[in-house]
């Protein structure tokens, strides 16, 4: 009986590993390392999606994320969400996002993020969405966002833990 239980447990672990979404590959560009690139699946008809990733500057000089583009979006921008007198405000970073030397900048829900607008199609869980980041020094860099579940809070999060879901800013229904 113990052997059968052990075999079942091993099979369950193996199945769970196979079913886990593949993590985005780290992308190196000059002194920058871009990792954990992801997005959320979009509900039907949504025209806006957010993109999230981590940028680490391993160099000795600052670089700046100046623009983003994606074939699936008519418009793409680098955005910031911040509290202003108790009100959450979102705005594009027209002058770009600086990544200081030796620092890591995380683009995540509720803070810095990529805003993909005028979507030409839905983001479906399991898809990879290609986009191009342009840096002042590192130049143009191709990355792919791993699409997670609609309610995902981080890469590898299916978006439905079975527990109460935490509400976070979601731009999928916003009109820009």
């Amino acid at each position: 009986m113990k052997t059968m239980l052990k075999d079942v447990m091993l099979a369950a672990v193996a199945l769970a590993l196979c079913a886990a979404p593949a993590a985005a590959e780290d992308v190196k560009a000059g002194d920058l390392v871009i990792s954990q690139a992801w997005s959320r699946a979009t509900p039907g008809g949504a025209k806006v999606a957010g993109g999230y990733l981590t940028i680490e500057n391993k160099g000795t000089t600052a670089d700046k994320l100046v623009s983003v583009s994606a074939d699936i979006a008519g418009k793409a921008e680098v955005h910031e969400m911040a509290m202003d007198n108790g009100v959450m405000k979102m705005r594009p970073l027209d002058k770009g996002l600086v990544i200081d030397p030796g620092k890591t900048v995380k683009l995540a829900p509720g803070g810095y993020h990529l805003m993909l607008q005028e979507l030409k199609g839905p983001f479906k869980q399991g898809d990879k969405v290609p986009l191009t980041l342009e840096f002042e020094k590192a130049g143009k860099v191709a990355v792919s966002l791993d699409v997670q579940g609609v309610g995902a809070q981080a890469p590898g999060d299916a978006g439905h833990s079975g527990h109460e879901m935490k509400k976070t800013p979601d731009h999928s229904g916003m009109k820009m």
Side-chain angles (χ1 to χ4, degrees):
M1 186 70 175
K2 281 186 181 180
T3 304
M4 190 166 114
L5 181 59
K6 184 178 172 185
D7 290 344
V8 169
M9 293 300 287
L10 284 173
V13 169
L15 183 60
L17 290 173
C18 291
E25 295 286 322
D26 288 0
V27 176
K28 293 181 172 92
D31 291 328
L32 303 178
V33 177
I34 301 149
S35 61
Q36 301 178 350
W38 68 284
S39 186
R40 293 180 179 130
T42 56
K47 294 294 180 193
V48 179
Y52 314 105
L53 47 84
T54 300
I55 306 167
E56 180 182 5
N57 185 343
K58 294 187 174 205
T60 56
T61 59
D63 204 340
K64 185 187 295 187
L65 175 59
V66 293
S67 69
V68 60
S69 61
D71 288 342
I72 195 165
K75 185 177 179 182
E77 300 172 326
V78 181
H79 273 214
E80 172 186 39
M81 288 184 75
M83 292 298 285
D84 182 17
N85 293 323
V87 177
M88 182 65 84
K89 293 192 175 182
M90 181 175 57
R91 68 181 180 92
L93 295 176
D94 296 327
K95 295 182 180 176
L97 176 61
V98 174
I99 300 93
D100 288 321
K103 301 291 183 184
T104 299
V105 176
K106 187 172 184 124
L107 283 71
Y112 296 120
H113 60 279
L114 306 176
M115 180 59 75
L116 306 173
Q117 302 169 57
E118 302 167 18
L119 295 181
K120 298 172 184 170
F123 288 14
K124 295 180 184 154
Q125 187 172 351
D127 283 355
K128 291 191 177 293
V129 176
L131 51 86
T132 301
L133 305 175
E134 185 169 356
F135 293 91
E136 194 170 73
K137 293 186 176 119
K140 291 186 177 185
V141 182
V143 298
S144 289
L145 302 175
D146 289 337
V147 181
Q148 308 298 314
V150 173
Q153 298 300 309
D157 181 2
H160 48 79
S161 64
H163 302 286
E164 179 179 331
M165 286 180 60
K166 179 179 161 189
K167 285 282 191 190
T168 60
D170 182 343
H171 309 307
S172 59
M174 286 183 71
K175 294 192 187 234
M176 299 297 286

